[in-house]
Amino acid sequence: MVRAARDPEERIRERNMRLIIKAGIEIFARKGFDGTRIAEIAEASGLPKANVYYYFSSKEEIYTAIIAHLLASWDDALKYIAPEREPAEAFKLYIKAKLEYTRKNMAESRLFASEIIQGARFLSRKDREHIRQVTDAHVAVVEGWIAAGKMLPVDPRHLFIMLWASTQFYSDFEPVAVDALKKPRLKADDYEKAATTITETILRGILRQP
Amino acid sequence: MVRAARDPEERIRERNMRLIIKAGIEIFARKGFDGTRIAEIAEASGLPKANVYYYFSSKEEIYTAIIAHLLASWDDALKYIAPEREPAEAFKLYIKAKLEYTRKNMAESRLFASEIIQGARFLSRKDREHIRQVTDAHVAVVEGWIAAGKMLPVDPRHLFIMLWASTQFYSDFEPVAVDALKKPRLKADDYEKAATTITETILRGILRQP
DNA sequence: TTGAAAGTTGACACTTTGGTCAGCTTTTGT
DNA sequence: ACAAAAGCTGACCAAAGTGTCAACTTTCAA
């Protein structure tokens, strides 16, 4: 027999890999690549260490699988910066979507931040090229709006950095946000208040005054 | 003899501790607490590992010494949010100072970010209380400006988060900033461009229109 | 000059870690 | 029913890690 005797939905393999990835996201996010112990991932996923190694042949393989999984899930969230939209509407939706994503996927968000702070060692050339292209597309749209007189001439690249930074902050640096906002922990309505403050401030900052 | 036979400026001790701290900042910033190996700090500081342990009795002791050293050096930088100033001037100087500090102290900046992402495990209650008080003072000043009609009623806490996030980003997430700005690396004038974009956008966002 | 404190360090002890493996059990197409 | 593929895992290893220590050298106040 040539083909494997597998496949009714790949149940076991799929499930276990998902458990490992899920546990890995949490732990890599908190400890970074070098700080993470595979035994800890094994324990958190409820599998023996040797079983983890049955699915992944090294720590790096788990890590890069997670990074890939993570980048893939990002593109969906952020398709609001489109030329046919009005800037006010587009930025409002963009800010809201980013804050929502970052709130619901804190660990992923932190893992990415951690990877970058640690020097982006495991972001492939392809990954970085992809990020650059998405940025370029967004920048082009904003430049179009500026040319059309719908926006003040704000440098689009620095503008996007402001947006990314402001939205990521609440999840990546939650302990600081908690102290700054004097809340015991951040809840949905703190993110909503963040969305309105950021949106209102940025929109006044980039739109022509009526 | 009761007192030690030491002290003409504490030369050796001071110098070696400084070397260890300096090396530690770089490495802890890149690897996080758990990911950092003392042997690496020893090598980077040019001292044998056993000599590092002569000055610090554990990894944690080095790390907390660095955190303390770092928080102390922060208060200086940011005294521009003061009631007697006009908001426009104050925020402009604040943004400039923060970007300058973060550019000239990248490793410290990253180390702090790393510590927060990893859950602020080694920030003492006192450290966090201190951060909270500095924030409260700044918030009070902004509330004063709002009450005096010098500013639009923007939530001050979320406003400061926007400022921190936007300024920190360039150093903490430099690889992403580099890709977004399409530069091979960030130089002084990229930080200046950042300062003007952030300042202009934020000021339009928070000031009454003329 | 001298001796006590400070500083230095190679070698060591002990623990944790990433990763392997041989042999076991379970699943599944036929 | 059954064999082959898939899945599982306790036990193990070499390497790397933290922290210790005894013996050595350097420094410096008296």
Side-chain angles (χ1 to χ4, degrees):
Chain A
M1 193 174 321
V2 170
R3 195 57 215 103
R6 288 262 70 255
D7 212 18
E9 248 184 296
E10 285 274 2
R11 292 194 308 275
I12 297 178
R13 184 176 201 82
E14 203 165 273
R15 174 179 140 277
N16 283 346
M17 289 184 87
R18 187 172 40 76
L19 287 174
I20 294 166
I21 298 261
K22 190 180 169 190
I25 288 174
E26 301 286 338
I27 295 166
F28 279 124
R30 291 249 168 242
K31 305 285 190 79
F33 180 79
D34 296 286
T36 293
R37 310 292 109 143
I38 304 233
E40 218 180 331
I41 293 179
E43 197 187 5
S45 58
L47 267 40
K49 184 160 64 94
N51 203 356
V52 172
Y53 275 101
Y54 176 71
Y55 291 105
F56 296 94
S57 68
S58 69
K59 181 156 86 164
E60 183 167 337
E61 200 173 299
I62 304 179
Y63 191 77
T64 54
I66 290 176
I67 296 270
H69 172 272
L70 181 160
L71 287 176
S73 81
W74 273 13
D75 290 330
D76 313 329
L78 304 169
K79 42 191 177 280
Y80 296 109
I81 306 295
E84 64 275 15
R85 277 211 153 78
E86 284 303 302
E89 183 78 353
F91 282 112
K92 183 181 169 181
L93 292 172
Y94 181 87
I95 289 164
K96 195 182 163 193
K98 263 223 95 209
L99 276 166
E100 232 161 67
Y101 180 87
T102 214
R103 182 172 80 87
K104 289 182 186 155
N105 302 273
M106 276 195 142
E108 283 92 333
S109 196
R110 279 210 189 101
L111 171 51
F112 187 76
S114 173
E115 164 65 10
I116 302 299
I117 287 181
Q118 288 175 19
R121 285 182 293 165
F122 298 98
L123 270 195
S124 67
R125 232 162 276 282
K126 234 183 72 182
D127 292 335
R128 297 186 64 158
E129 182 53 38
H130 177 77
I131 294 173
R132 235 175 288 145
Q133 279 177 8
V134 172
T135 307
D136 284 354
H138 285 187
V139 165
V141 173
V142 170
E143 280 169 345
W145 286 334
I146 291 172
K150 291 181 170 178
M151 264 181 67
L152 296 171
V154 178
D155 185 299
R157 295 180 187 278
H158 288 283
L159 175 60
F160 276 113
I161 287 178
M162 282 182 76
L163 294 179
W164 295 336
S166 299
T167 48
Q168 291 283 134
F169 193 95
Y170 291 87
S171 298
D172 296 352
F173 303 122
E174 201 213 19
V176 171
V178 155
D179 284 355
L181 298 176
K182 293 181 119 172
K183 299 288 176 83
R185 62 196 194 86
L186 300 190
K187 297 210 217 145
D189 56 293
D190 295 308
Y191 280 82
E192 274 165 42
K193 178 70 180 166
T196 62
T197 302
I198 296 171
T199 302
E200 287 170 9
T201 306
I202 291 287
L203 286 186
R204 275 194 299 265
I206 64 177
L207 295 182
R208 261 174 215 302
Q209 299 313 317
Chain B
M1 193 174 321
V2 170
R3 194 60 213 99
R6 286 265 71 252
D7 211 21
E9 248 182 297
E10 283 275 1
R11 292 194 308 274
I12 297 177
R13 184 174 200 83
E14 203 165 274
R15 174 178 141 277
N16 283 347
M17 288 184 87
R18 187 172 39 76
L19 287 173
I20 294 166
I21 297 261
K22 190 180 168 188
I25 289 173
E26 301 287 338
I27 295 166
F28 280 124
R30 290 251 170 242
K31 305 286 189 78
F33 179 79
D34 297 285
T36 294
R37 309 292 109 146
I38 303 234
E40 219 180 328
I41 293 179
E43 198 186 6
S45 58
L47 267 40
K49 184 163 60 93
N51 203 354
V52 171
Y53 275 102
Y54 176 70
Y55 291 105
F56 296 94
S57 68
S58 69
K59 181 156 87 162
E60 183 167 337
E61 201 173 297
I62 304 179
Y63 191 76
T64 53
I66 289 176
I67 296 270
H69 172 272
L70 181 159
L71 286 176
S73 81
W74 271 12
D75 290 330
D76 313 329
L78 304 169
K79 44 189 177 278
Y80 295 109
I81 307 296
E84 64 274 17
R85 279 209 152 78
E86 284 303 302
E89 182 77 354
F91 282 112
K92 183 182 169 182
L93 291 172
Y94 181 88
I95 289 164
K96 196 182 162 195
K98 263 222 97 210
L99 276 165
E100 233 160 66
Y101 180 88
T102 213
R103 182 172 79 86
K104 290 182 185 156
N105 301 274
M106 277 193 143
E108 282 92 334
S109 196
R110 277 209 191 102
L111 170 51
F112 186 76
S114 174
E115 163 66 10
I116 301 301
I117 288 180
Q118 288 175 19
R121 282 183 295 164
F122 297 99
L123 270 195
S124 67
R125 230 161 278 281
K126 234 183 73 182
D127 291 336
R128 297 186 65 159
E129 182 52 37
H130 176 78
I131 294 173
R132 235 174 290 145
Q133 278 177 8
V134 173
T135 307
D136 284 355
H138 285 187
V139 165
V141 173
V142 170
E143 280 170 345
W145 285 333
I146 292 172
K150 293 179 170 178
M151 266 181 65
L152 296 171
V154 178
D155 185 299
R157 295 180 187 277
H158 288 282
L159 176 59
F160 277 113
I161 287 178
M162 282 184 76
L163 294 179
W164 295 336
S166 300
T167 49
Q168 291 283 133
F169 193 95
Y170 292 88
S171 298
D172 295 352
F173 304 122
E174 201 213 18
V176 172
V178 155
D179 284 355
L181 298 175
K182 293 182 120 173
K183 299 288 175 83
R185 60 196 196 88
L186 300 190
K187 296 209 219 147
D189 56 294
D190 294 309
Y191 280 83
E192 274 165 41
K193 179 69 180 165
T196 62
T197 302
I198 297 172
T199 303
E200 286 170 9
T201 306
I202 291 288
L203 286 186
R204 275 194 300 265
I206 64 177
L207 295 182
R208 261 175 215 301
Q209 298 312 317

